[in-house]
Amino acid sequence: MSSSVPRLVIAAPSSGSGKTTVATGLMAAFASRGLAVSPHKVGPDYIDPGYHALATGRVGRNLDAYLCGAELVAPLFAHGARGCDLAVVEGVMGLFDGAAGEGELASTAHVAKLLRAPVVLVVDASSQSRSVAALVHGFASWDPEVRIGGVILNKVGSERHEGMLREALDASGVPVLGVLRRVEQVGTPSRHLGLVPVAERRGEAVAAVAAMAAQVRVGCDLDALFALARGAGALPGDTWDAAEALAFSPPPPLPVPVPGGAAPRPPYRPERPRPQTPDGPEGPGTASKEPQARPPGAPRIAVAGGAAFTFSYAEHAELLAAAGAEVVVFDPLRDEELPEGTRGLVIGGGFPEVYGPELSANEPLRKAVAALAGSGAPVAAECAGLLYLSRALDGLPMCGVIDAKARMDERLTLGYRDAVAVSDSVLAEAGSRMRGHEFHRTVVEPGAGGAPAWGVRVPVRRVEGFVQQGVHASYLHTHWASAPGVARRFVERCVGSWATAG
């Protein structure tokens, strides 16, 4: 099924030009007109989509040609944008900046071409006048397959400055679709890994998004931008669907064991995929904050949320639900127990280093997590989840599931990784290949257990992470849409864990 949703890609010559302000402001401004706006972010970033969700009332979704493959970018976009009036895609870094050493792969330009979407270039004009025309001309002519449909001038100092910029751009053939004056920075504070997530500053974030929308509403030609978006035309190809992705993915290669030497339990197959509920600003559409009635045989999988664990791709919960699980969100900062009947646990990324004292003080939950892991139940932990499962974080007691200690570090570890599963686990069979992303300023010592999770070769050859009983804990963020069998394998193991408990 083709997608004809009007769409724009918001890009810039470099980071720091104002992409997030413009993209988030456009989303909120169009949403205030009554349009259903689908928010997207190029690359693996988890934080900007939180602001996008606040602006639109829909889950912010990532489009990553490195993690998921170029062939999935358009189907995943169509999935997120289904039923919407407009889609706004915020780019990453500079327009043509992609995965290191991989040419255009995963760049904003690459994604724009895959989506056949016009690009709006956001230019920081604070220190230039006539030179802006040369800059815009260079970006518009560099790749003829990338259509620069307009420019938004940011940080313009005065009416006179605006006049000089417009005069210079008249001959470029690229229309000016907006001018944003130089104002005090909108209240979006940053720290060691970028913007502070929405979940940590809800009231301030709402005000910041409103300020972005007001700035864009005054300075941009929304009618012209929407007309440009409508010119994108139909996008051929199928729309991604979690149930269909699972149906065409390879089955788990290992049977679910049953204690006592009995014959392997047949793999669990739901009678039909559970419906995906509409998206909302709080998280994946299929994840519920309150336990619901379960279909017979559906294992309950708890997913960590709240301010300390905000990094998660929406498709993960959708795949788990389509594989037959009931997905329930809990908050390790507030909840002293895991959701009743939990048979599997997913702890994604976030900022446990910021909330170390509060997480450590919640001893009942730490013990519950350790008991679940000790029972052999499936536990998947990425980055922040790895820190939470360690014995201590900056000297504060954590769950003690992994025999390692974690601490903050001044060095930023950042980049895409090609990984190979070193050990059989609840997520992957040894030898399976996946692509991932690292993004942290912490160190875990030791960095790998006796049965490591992954082997990587870049930036240096090493093994990392921990596999023990049902636990898979690693720094690597992965996107399960690229390997839907991961979700099914995890659910299968949860059913096995349930049988053991029973």
Side-chain angles (χ1 to χ4, degrees):
M1 178 185 297
S2 65
S3 174
S4 57
V5 176
R7 53 197 177 275
L8 294 172
V9 172
I10 309 301
S14 65
S15 296
S17 299
K19 290 191 304 293
T20 299
T21 295
V22 171
T24 307
L26 284 173
M27 292 173 189
F30 280 116
S32 69
R33 287 186 165 191
L35 298 180
V37 180
S38 180
H40 303 265
K41 171 69 179 180
V42 176
D45 182 282
Y46 292 98
I47 299 175
D48 290 346
Y51 287 86
H52 298 170
L54 202 58
T56 64
R58 297 179 64 87
V59 172
R61 294 177 183 268
N62 296 73
L63 300 172
D64 197 313
Y66 188 93
L67 292 184
C68 295
E71 68 280 0
L72 276 182
V73 167
L76 285 170
F77 166 83
H79 168 65
R82 183 171 8 209
C84 287
D85 303 307
L86 172 69
V88 177
V89 181
E90 180 186 343
V92 61
M93 300 186 292
L95 174 58
F96 298 106
D97 301 326
E102 299 284 351
E104 74 169 5
L105 177 63
S107 67
T108 302
H110 187 204
V111 171
K113 290 195 284 188
L114 293 170
L115 297 180
R116 301 183 180 181
V119 173
V120 176
L121 195 68
V122 179
V123 176
D124 179 350
S126 59
S127 300
Q128 58 185 315
S129 57
R130 190 165 179 263
S131 295
V132 72
L135 185 149
V136 171
H137 172 75
F139 273 82
S141 60
W142 177 260
D143 185 343
E145 295 183 42
V146 177
R147 177 190 171 199
I148 306 293
V151 61
I152 292 177
L153 301 170
N154 192 26
K155 300 181 183 178
V156 175
S158 63
E159 289 187 11
R160 181 170 179 269
H161 186 201
E162 178 182 340
M164 289 189 291
L165 294 167
R166 286 185 178 274
E167 181 181 4
L169 285 167
D170 279 345
S172 71
V174 180
V176 176
L177 299 179
V179 176
L180 304 184
R181 291 298 171 85
R182 190 180 304 157
V183 297
E184 289 188 18
Q185 185 177 2
V186 176
T188 51
S190 300
R191 58 170 179 237
H192 60 286
L193 293 182
L195 296 180
V196 177
V198 165
E200 298 185 38
R201 50 187 301 272
R202 182 79 184 185
E204 296 165 297
V206 169
V209 169
M212 294 178 201
Q215 190 178 6
V216 165
R217 200 178 291 115
V218 169
C220 294
D221 187 339
L222 296 182
D223 292 334
L225 284 161
F226 189 65
L228 177 64
R230 293 182 64 184
L235 184 64
D238 295 330
T239 298
W240 185 85
D241 178 82
E244 291 181 5
L246 286 168
F248 288 101
S249 65
L254 300 176
V256 178
V258 175
R265 180 186 178 98
Y268 170 60
R269 295 286 185 269
E271 292 185 6
R272 56 188 173 190
R274 300 181 66 211
Q276 297 176 17
T277 58
D279 289 338
E282 299 296 337
T286 49
S288 169
K289 288 190 174 182
E290 297 294 334
Q292 306 293 319
R294 281 178 290 174
R300 178 169 289 162
I301 295 178
V303 176
F309 297 96
T310 55
F311 296 3
S312 178
Y313 296 124
E315 292 81 6
H316 288 200
E318 292 170 352
L319 283 164
L320 290 171
E326 179 197 7
V327 181
V328 180
V329 177
F330 73 104
D331 185 349
L333 291 176
R334 299 183 178 185
D335 297 328
E336 294 188 345
E337 298 178 348
L338 291 169
E340 183 180 356
T342 293
R343 298 304 176 201
L345 177 61
V346 176
I347 313 174
F351 291 98
E353 63 269 31
V354 175
Y355 293 96
E358 294 88 340
L359 291 170
S360 184
N362 192 349
E363 186 177 2
L365 183 65
R366 290 194 289 111
K367 288 183 176 180
V369 169
L372 183 74
S375 74
V379 178
E382 289 184 350
C383 200
L386 168 65
L387 307 184
Y388 186 53
L389 294 185
S390 70
R391 282 194 287 126
L393 172 57
D394 287 333
L396 297 169
M398 291 291 131
C399 295
V401 173
I402 300 298
D403 188 16
K405 293 183 178 181
R407 59 177 173 81
M408 287 290 293
D409 188 61
E410 293 183 358
R411 182 173 63 92
L412 174 64
T413 300
L414 170 67
Y416 286 119
R417 307 285 186 256
D418 283 315
V420 177
V422 176
S423 311
D424 285 333
S425 73
V426 295
L427 294 185
E429 183 183 19
S432 302
R433 293 183 175 272
M434 285 195 75
R435 285 183 160 180
H437 185 262
E438 279 191 273
F439 185 41
H440 57 89
R441 288 188 187 270
T442 58
V443 172
V444 169
E445 297 167 329
W454 302 109
V456 298
R457 290 185 293 180
V458 177
V460 295
R461 186 182 295 270
R462 62 189 169 92
V463 293
E464 72 91 41
F466 302 79
V467 173
Q468 60 186 54
Q469 293 182 286
V471 175
H472 183 286
S474 162
Y475 265 125
L476 206 64
H477 294 288
T478 58
H479 200 304
W480 293 359
S482 68
V486 167
R488 182 164 59 190
R489 183 181 176 96
F490 191 80
V491 173
E492 297 278 6
R493 299 313 182 270
C494 291
V495 173
S497 168
W498 200 349
T500 302

